[in-house]
Each structure stands twice: as structure tokens, then as C-alpha cells.
Amino acid sequence: MVLVFRLNGRLLEQGDRLVEGLNLTSARWQVLGALALADRPLTAPQIAEAMGITRQGAQKQLNLLMDEGLLDRRPNPSHERSPLYRLTATGKRTFAEADRRCGLWAADLGEALSEDALHTTETVLGELLARLNKPLPTHRQSERTSDD
């Protein structure tokens, strides 16, 4: 777990450097990515769920991205208090450039790794993510397991 925490911290730090010339941070880039990958307008809770962040964290980044002209907000016919956000033309261009830079960076990072190693890593991380989406065991279940 500590290795994953350290990896996440370094990814965010280097990601900030990668996109700083675009007036982005890793957090803003993450929110842009959620919208770009969804290819449809999303609410703040939907973005938070897609990216594994809090709704409040997503909202903060949405507000900053709106101020930068990278997103616009539309009324949500399904929920009056939860507007829909979508990329503006500037937001699409900014995300495309961040994605291009990320592709070059990822190619460089993966250069020394075999295709099998990269595939295994993707599989393991995907499985861990799926398992982490399950509820935590209760304290009582943990005690039973450790006594067995």
C-alpha cells in the first residue's frame, strides 16, 4: 500500500509539471479527463465517482475550470440542484494537448518494460481497483479471519 501511495504522489507531482504550461494541475486534468472520456456532460457527483475523488474535490476543480473557460455548465433536467458540465472548445483543445503530452510521457516511462509486464500491471491494478470498490470488512470479520 505504501508503494502505491508513493507512486500516486509522484504521479501527481510529475503530472503537475507535465501540464503546468497549460495552466492545469493534475487535479484539473483529472476532471477534464473524466469529461473527455465520458464524451457526454456529467454532474459533479458523476465526475467524482468516475475519478475516485470526493464530490467537494470535483466541485472545486469544476469551479476553477469554469473560471478558465475550459468548461461550461448546463441545467440538468433530471436534477435541478446538480448541473451538467461539459468541455468547451478550449477545454477540448487543452485536454487534447495534455493527452498528447501524457502519451509521450507514458511511452518514455514504459520504454524499459516489456509488453507482458505492462499488461500484467494493468490487469493487477484493475483487479485491485475492482476489489477496493467492495465494502471494507468489519472489525468483527477481521478478527475471525485472523483467528482461523
Side-chain angles (χ1 to χ4, degrees), residues 53-144:
I53 57 179
T54 65
R55 189 206 57 78
Q56 294 85 351
Q59 190 63 61
K60 177 182 176 184
Q61 301 311 318
L62 287 164
N63 292 341
L64 293 167
L65 290 163
M66 292 266 308
D67 291 346
E68 295 290 327
L70 301 177
L71 301 180
D72 66 7
R73 179 177 43 219
R74 302 280 181 200
N76 181 351
S78 300
H79 194 290
E80 187 178 307
R81 296 185 62 212
S82 191
L84 293 166
Y85 295 89
R86 67 178 184 177
L87 298 173
T88 62
T90 302
K92 288 176 184 176
R93 285 191 302 275
T94 301
F95 179 77
E97 177 58 19
D99 196 46
R100 185 192 69 77
R101 292 179 186 191
C102 183
L104 295 172
W105 182 35
D108 184 60
L109 288 171
E111 192 173 279
L113 301 171
S114 72
E115 193 171 320
D116 284 346
L118 292 170
H119 178 71
T120 299
T121 301
E122 182 181 23
T123 300
V124 169
L125 291 174
E127 179 62 28
L128 284 172
L129 180 60
R131 289 174 180 234
L132 287 168
N133 285 329
K134 295 179 181 177
L136 286 171
T138 64
H139 180 67
R140 209 170 197 167
Q141 289 171 327
S142 298
E143 286 176 353
R144 258 196 327 254

Side-chain angles (χ1 to χ4, degrees), residues 34-43 46-47 50 84-87:
L35 288 163
L37 294 172
D39 203 29
R40 65 182 173 87
L42 297 174
T43 64
Q46 289 170 326
I47 292 166
L84 293 166
Y85 295 89
R86 67 178 184 177
L87 298 173

